[in-house]
Amino acid sequence: MLKKYIQKSLKTKEILLMTHIVVGYPSLDASMKIVEEMVKAGVDLIELQIPFSEPMADGPVILKANQKSLELGTTVKGCFEFAQNVSSRFDIPFLFMTYYNILYKYGVQSFVEDMVKVGIKGAIIPDLPPEEGLEYEEAMKSNNLCPIYIFSPTTTDERMRYISSCGKGFIYCMARKGVTGKTTQFSNELDEYFEKCRKNTSLPLAVGFGVKEKADIDYLKGKADIAVIGSQTIRLVDEKGIEAVGDFIKGL
Amino acid sequence: MLKKYIQKSLKTKEILLMTHIVVGYPSLDASMKIVEEMVKAGVDLIELQIPFSEPMADGPVILKANQKSLELGTTVKGCFEFAQNVSSRFDIPFLFMTYYNILYKYGVQSFVEDMVKVGIKGAIIPDLPPEEGLEYEEAMKSNNLCPIYIFSPTTTDERMRYISSCGKGFIYCMARKGVTGKTTQFSNELDEYFEKCRKNTSLPLAVGFGVKEKADIDYLKGKADIAVIGSQTIRLVDEKGIEAVGDFIKGL
Amino acid sequence: MSNDRGYYGEFGGAFIPEILVATFDELIRQFRKVKDDPSFWQTYSDLMSNYSCRPTPLTFAENLTRHFGGAKIYIKREDLNHTGAHKANNVMGQGLLVQRMGKTRVIAETGAGQHGVATATMAAKFGFECTIYMGEVDVKRQRPNVFWMEQMGATVIPVTDGTRILKDAINEAFRDWVTNMDNTHYVLGTACGPHPFPEMVSFFQSIIGKEARQQILELEGKLPTRVFACVGGGSNAMGLFSGFPDNSVECVGVEAAGYGLHTGQHASRLCSPDATVGVAQGYKTYFLQNDDGQMKETHSIAAGLDYIGVSPILSRMHQKGEARFESATDKEVIDAVKLTMKKEGIIPALESAHAFAGAFREAAELSSDDIIIINQSGRGDKDIFTIADAFGDPKWREFIKEKALDYK
Amino acid sequence: MSNDRGYYGEFGGAFIPEILVATFDELIRQFRKVKDDPSFWQTYSDLMSNYSCRPTPLTFAENLTRHFGGAKIYIKREDLNHTGAHKANNVMGQGLLVQRMGKTRVIAETGAGQHGVATATMAAKFGFECTIYMGEVDVKRQRPNVFWMEQMGATVIPVTDGTRILKDAINEAFRDWVTNMDNTHYVLGTACGPHPFPEMVSFFQSIIGKEARQQILELEGKLPTRVFACVGGGSNAMGLFSGFPDNSVECVGVEAAGYGLHTGQHASRLCSPDATVGVAQGYKTYFLQNDDGQMKETHSIAAGLDYIGVSPILSRMHQKGEARFESATDKEVIDAVKLTMKKEGIIPALESAHAFAGAFREAAELSSDDIIIINQSGRGDKDIFTIADAFGDPKWREFIKEKALDYK
Ligand SMILES: Cc1ncc(COP(=O)(O)O)c(C=O)c1O
Ligand SMILES: Cc1ncc(COP(=O)(O)O)c(C=O)c1O
């Protein structure tokens, strides 16, 4: 159903926008306000990151947000409550983003069932390659949720097809190597990579890692279905406060 | 002739007294005054120590005196001048005490000849065993000077006889192991040792190392021909000044 | 030993970001090649005997044996390795692999600093660029090691995130790797992390057990009753234990009990009930974590044991009862260092001293027919600042204060 | 090699106080016995391989060789000995002798602290009481070594007389010995002092040259062109040189040039005109002394080379042209340490680095058919305070200042 939502939305928009927050950063209240701003500004999907103490794939901005949120006492249960709250108030799909240990400790089956209960549509688990994710994949699919898997610039064609067969909803394409939050040069050099991604999956493509301004998104139009803004909104909140988020997104 | 002097003196005294100074300590002038006090108080022989930077066989008191004297600029030449001075002014035998390097660097032959010139009668070189001292022994003997060698509590009978055959004037008996300036228990336990010394040489016996009060000297009477006071007078000068030396010696 | 994805029972695996999959595929391929090539082991052990001093001795601790009046105590002397710890074995082995893979840069995490020094040393020798990640707390407690790493040409980056110790350094190293894997190899320092690291590091460290087995058979004509190793990530323990797969030999791993298991301030994953199975830093094992799966702060006087996870291979051995796990408190460790210095003239690293403390507890209960081997994974010189503090040496304090005045 | 009284040409001898004659007689007798007993060498070399890690490797320094583009450079790795220097060889050998003589206490002088640590270690292992004399200046520059000696159970006595360095510590040790020779052996640390020390220490250190000769023949099938060793008292040099008595091998000893030979602030006895023949500390050799025969102050960045005298055996070799003597300044030494760390991942002790500096000066002029061996007498860890100061490392200074604040 995520796929359908995306395809439907793409009929009226050239490209969709997915944003990201770390639940509980800079506070639980602030998280709620940020989501509100984002939705009002027209965002199409939102990733809710459940903070983890060892966010290996995240760069400094999101890493610090994870830590701060945990220091303030954010719990997994709190994140589910938050998810329930936003998914009932706002009419766009929300996804969880987190690391596998959060699911593992919770119990993968229960975690997925509770996702359903709180209205979350899918999940992105960057440290869970499909080979390790059989239990998760099955639980997600049998609950009609979308396990979002990742393509990277080093992924082979064959492996893309394999990953695509495990995923549902859309594929998350890393625009470059590295961790979140660093700059990416969006230029024609990437064309080939996106063509390769497209060729190897029938799922919609979300492109993230380093997307941070209008030019980036303009470049992605026609190549990707979803542009993902991650660290940039956190940086914005840090520097200019929550109020700046809406305008920033409208400007994209 | 040293032997003769000793034997003659022993006719009027139960035991002779040999004292010791470090030339140039606490100053050259003071050294002169100390010698004067000593002679006036009736001392029979005096050792003039030429200071050396590495006085391996000396304990802390004499070691520091050596260092201080050198710091004040005492030279070997200065010590010869000093020797000339005292031997012309005072009518008792003076001996040099020093380490072998002082002779070696000066040239053993010249050193001995200059000893004759300044009126020194013999020398004690604690780091020169007779085996290493052939050149020295010959030079001394052919110049009618006395090479004073040492017996120690660890010396065997056989070796005592050998040492005795190399020495002249008298034999210096260490009353105990160790370096100069520590306390010795002069008790009957030492009787055997002194008898052994006596048995193995026909030279007069001087006993030193730890002799510091009347009781020590009384004990030595009849066992030794000469009692040697070393560190104790230096200690006295350090603590009570030069003036105290005369009375101290008279009291012995 | 492990299946294709590096599982030991339920433990292990490779929970890696997609971007690293190709890198790991290549690493596994190369590692398989060298592991199956007997000439590689020859190259490796030649390097270790020409550059480090392998075989390291197995020293009979005559005085300690007499002191406890029980088992005969032998010490495997990994402290005599170049750079002063068993870490050299792993690092030189990976260095040869890096050469084969044609990479030009290495990165590593370090806790005690030993692995960092070893990696910086290897990089100097092989001519690789080198960056070392080290928790800020560890930078402080192991400054001499930082100094040497830098002098050897490595860049040392203090990690100021998280708890600022070993685990955080590992995260940072991974962040570097996902960016620079084209020319960079991550020289993981212990038998943890995603497959093939546990297997690969254990493979290189198995040189310890191979030698020890041969040595004890030559010296005593029989196998030991028990072998002891400290357990941080588990590499020196794996190295020793792998030489004694026999049922008759009991393998004992000694973890850090810090201020005491009951205080919660420790780093005991296998012998305390505080740890549970989880997935972090790319592999599944016992972790010191809370119910949400967030990692806890750990504590040990030994920086090299101050870690949340443990080798999946050891977790499996624990589960199957193939090894026993004990712990030693900071205090017991200091006492063990003191005793070993006074009796044998040997200074164990604080990490290694956990193995000594564990063995000392049991030596007396064994008979003179029994033999125990303690793995001295490293030398204690590196710990002078920590040991001097633990001993409260007033002259050392004076010395440092005077030095500081010179620097005013 | 020497005659009965330990003369090498005009050098050597035994200028000892009468009280020590019997002690020396007994020592010579025991030493002759063990020297002539082939089973003793076996016992000794077994001890060294079980407790230390002999044979130490002969490491091919590939990167340094390439860097200079001349002779092939090999490094004899005495740094890998237990306690980190060649001093262990001598000390363990004398330990066995002490055992045979039935004495229960050992004393020693130490400059760099290496010989003190080695002796304290040996004493712990053999169960002897132990007192170490160390010049106050050296206590300051080698505090970590003092700490370890004390922890090993030794009493360290700072010598405050004279120039407060190595020579003064030797004097103090003799003063102790003449008092306590009944139960005490003086473990002299280098190939100096009265007979039989030069011969005895060289005998134990000859294990270095024996191994190196065999190793280079195995590795290269031929002898080296030149072998380099630093020269303090001369024990590591004697150890290496004794393995290569061949005319075709040039032995090069490198002394400490301190601030430069022309400044007078150095410790070069054989390669500078500042030294003359004299007799002190019980033996005859070249000494840095004035015309009166008073010893001069010496200077070297390396505490272990900061000494007025030199082995009488080396003086003889110098006189007969059997060895060549060069020197290296403090600055050249620091540069050599830096280069060796960066190129090979090896940290030479400041003493050893003199040999490196000397060899580096000559490597390029030789051809790739030539081989040189550098004796790395010790590891540089012990010198961290001196090296960090010489390098002017600001982070190290900050660290020390912070530590000092903790101690307020
Ligand atoms: C000397 C020493 N021993 C042990 C360890 C612990 O590591 P492992 O458990 O992998 O042997 C370390 C880690 O730094 C170490 O430096
Ligand atoms: C590492 C090292 N090398 C060399 C020396 C110099 O001594 P020798 O000339 O006797 O080898 C010392 C002395 O302390 C030392 O510690």
Side-chain angles (χ1 to χ4, degrees), chain B residues 51-56 58 63-64 67 70 75-76 101 104-105 126-127 132 150 152 154-155 159 163 177-178, chain D residues 5 7 14-15 17-19 21 161-162 167 171 175 178-179 182 276-279 289-290 292-295:
Chain B
F52 179 47
S53 58
E54 320 301 315
M56 174 163 114
D58 283 300
L63 163 63
K64 290 217 166 53
Q67 276 172 22
L70 287 175
T75 59
V76 176
N101 200 45
Y104 183 83
K105 275 296 280 187
D127 67 342
E132 299 284 0
I150 297 168
S152 86
T154 61
T155 312
R159 186 168 169 82
I163 291 173
K177 298 167 195 170
Chain D
R5 289 204 55 82
Y7 271 96
F15 295 80
E18 180 59 28
I19 187 80
V21 167
D161 295 308
K167 77 171 175 64
N171 290 334
R175 290 187 187 109
V178 296
T179 314
D182 288 345
T276 53
V277 178
V279 176
Q289 54 182 334
N290 70 16
D292 262 7
Q294 311 295 357
M295 298 301 145

Side-chain angles (χ1 to χ4, degrees), chain B residues 47-154:
Chain B
E47 286 178 74
L48 308 176
Q49 179 163 357
I50 305 176
F52 179 47
S53 58
E54 320 301 315
M56 174 163 114
D58 283 300
V61 173
I62 298 183
L63 163 63
K64 290 217 166 53
N66 272 262
Q67 276 172 22
K68 188 75 208 207
S69 172
L70 287 175
E71 272 167 32
L72 292 173
T74 303
T75 59
V76 176
K77 189 156 163 283
C79 292
F80 272 106
E81 284 162 11
F82 182 86
Q84 174 137 51
N85 233 321
V86 292
S87 72
S88 64
R89 280 185 58 194
F90 306 108
D91 192 25
I92 60 164
F94 289 91
L95 312 172
F96 268 159
M97 185 256 153
T98 193
Y99 289 81
Y100 184 54
N101 200 45
I102 299 297
L103 283 72
Y104 183 83
K105 275 296 280 187
Y106 200 94
V108 173
Q109 199 62 41
S110 327
F111 192 93
V112 171
E113 283 162 13
D114 286 355
M115 278 169 75
V116 177
K117 281 190 205 144
V118 300
I120 290 287
K121 304 290 184 242
I124 303 172
I125 316 292
D127 67 342
L128 189 70
E131 290 88 345
E132 299 284 0
L134 294 189
E135 183 191 1
Y136 159 78
E137 187 187 327
E138 231 160 73
M140 291 290 279
K141 288 184 176 168
S142 66
N143 281 285
N144 243 326
L145 298 186
C146 297
I148 312 295
Y149 282 108
I150 297 168
F151 284 179
S152 86
T154 61

Side-chain angles (χ1 to χ4, degrees), chain C residues 344-382:
Chain C
E344 300 292 344
I346 286 173
I347 314 171
L350 287 171
E351 289 79 12
S352 323
H354 285 72
F356 284 75
F360 291 171
R361 224 185 273 142
E362 301 180 16
E365 82 194 22
L366 296 172
S367 86
S368 61
D369 282 343
D370 291 309
I371 295 165
I372 65 185
I373 295 179
I374 305 172
N375 201 16
Q376 181 173 2
S377 54
R379 57 174 148 90
D381 311 30
K382 70 172 176 69

Side-chain angles (χ1 to χ4, degrees), chain D residues 14 59 73 78 80 90 121 142 159-160 199 211 244 249 273 297 329 347:
Chain D
T59 302
I73 302 175
E78 293 303 304
L80 292 175
N90 168 38
T121 298
Q142 302 284 347
V159 176
T160 55
E199 181 182 347
E211 287 176 8
F244 302 96
V249 181
E297 289 215 20
T329 62
I347 314 172

Side-chain angles (χ1 to χ4, degrees), chain B:
Chain B
M1 0 152 305
L2 210 45
K3 190 175 164 189
K4 253 186 224 150
Y5 167 81
I6 294 165
Q7 286 166 342
K8 208 183 99 200
S9 307
L10 281 172
K11 295 203 173 126
T12 58
K13 290 182 185 175
E14 258 185 298
I15 192 164
L16 309 190
L17 202 58
M18 178 162 85
T19 51
H20 164 276
I21 67 155
V22 173
V23 179
Y25 180 83
S27 73
L28 220 48
D29 282 353
S31 291
M32 184 55 79
K33 286 206 197 89
I34 296 168
V35 169
E36 203 174 321
E37 289 274 334
M38 286 173 169
V39 175
K40 269 201 270 172
V43 153
D44 303 288
L45 304 100
I46 295 181
E47 286 178 74
L48 308 176
Q49 179 163 357
I50 305 176
F52 179 47
S53 58
E54 320 301 315
M56 174 163 114
D58 283 300
V61 173
I62 298 183
L63 163 63
K64 290 217 166 53
N66 272 262
Q67 276 172 22
K68 188 75 208 207
S69 172
L70 287 175
E71 272 167 32
L72 292 173
T74 303
T75 59
V76 176
K77 189 156 163 283
C79 292
F80 272 106
E81 284 162 11
F82 182 86
Q84 174 137 51
N85 233 321
V86 292
S87 72
S88 64
R89 280 185 58 194
F90 306 108
D91 192 25
I92 60 164
F94 289 91
L95 312 172
F96 268 159
M97 185 256 153
T98 193
Y99 289 81
Y100 184 54
N101 200 45
I102 299 297
L103 283 72
Y104 183 83
K105 275 296 280 187
Y106 200 94
V108 173
Q109 199 62 41
S110 327
F111 192 93
V112 171
E113 283 162 13
D114 286 355
M115 278 169 75
V116 177
K117 281 190 205 144
V118 300
I120 290 287
K121 304 290 184 242
I124 303 172
I125 316 292
D127 67 342
L128 189 70
E131 290 88 345
E132 299 284 0
L134 294 189
E135 183 191 1
Y136 159 78
E137 187 187 327
E138 231 160 73
M140 291 290 279
K141 288 184 176 168
S142 66
N143 281 285
N144 243 326
L145 298 186
C146 297
I148 312 295
Y149 282 108
I150 297 168
F151 284 179
S152 86
T154 61
T155 312
T156 60
D157 288 77
E158 191 194 336
R159 186 168 169 82
M160 281 185 177
R161 288 193 293 275
Y162 163 64
I163 291 173
S164 172
S165 75
C166 304
K168 227 184 118 181
F170 63 90
I171 290 288
Y172 190 118
C173 298
M174 287 175 67
R176 56 158 171 76
K177 298 167 195 170
V179 289
T180 53
K182 305 266 162 89
T183 306
T184 304
Q185 292 304 338
F186 287 99
S187 71
N188 296 343
E189 280 169 39
L190 290 175
D191 288 2
E192 214 178 303
Y193 167 52
F194 292 130
E195 274 162 33
K196 173 175 153 188
C197 294
R198 197 57 104 185
K199 200 183 73 195
N200 288 306
T201 184
S202 56
L203 293 172
L205 289 184
V207 172
F209 273 60
V211 179
K212 60 179 181 197
E213 55 191 27
K214 191 165 179 335
D216 300 342
I217 294 175
D218 288 344
Y219 163 82
L220 287 174
K221 283 177 185 163
K223 291 169 183 118
D225 304 305
I226 305 170
V228 187
I229 306 249
S231 309
Q232 190 58 17
T233 45
I234 297 187
R235 227 178 256 129
L236 203 71
V237 170
D238 285 353
E239 285 165 13
K240 305 196 178 159
I242 299 171
E243 299 68 30
V245 172
D247 286 345
F248 167 69
I249 288 173
K250 281 182 212 135
L252 294 174

Side-chain angles (χ1 to χ4, degrees), chain C residues 32 114 147 224 280 284 327 385 406:
Chain C
R32 283 274 159 265
Q114 286 308 107
F147 177 77
K284 187 191 280 189
S327 68
F385 285 93
D406 291 350

Side-chain angles (χ1 to χ4, degrees), chain D residues 235-277:
Chain D
S235 69
N236 88 86
M238 279 307 303
L240 182 66
F241 295 175
S242 66
F244 302 96
D246 321 74
N247 281 332
S248 70
V249 181
E250 189 177 22
C251 295
V252 186
V254 186
E255 298 184 294
Y259 297 130
L261 291 188
H262 61 283
T263 65
Q265 303 239 55
H266 60 77
S268 298
R269 291 89 9 132
L270 297 175
C271 74
S272 91
D274 295 0
T276 53
V277 178

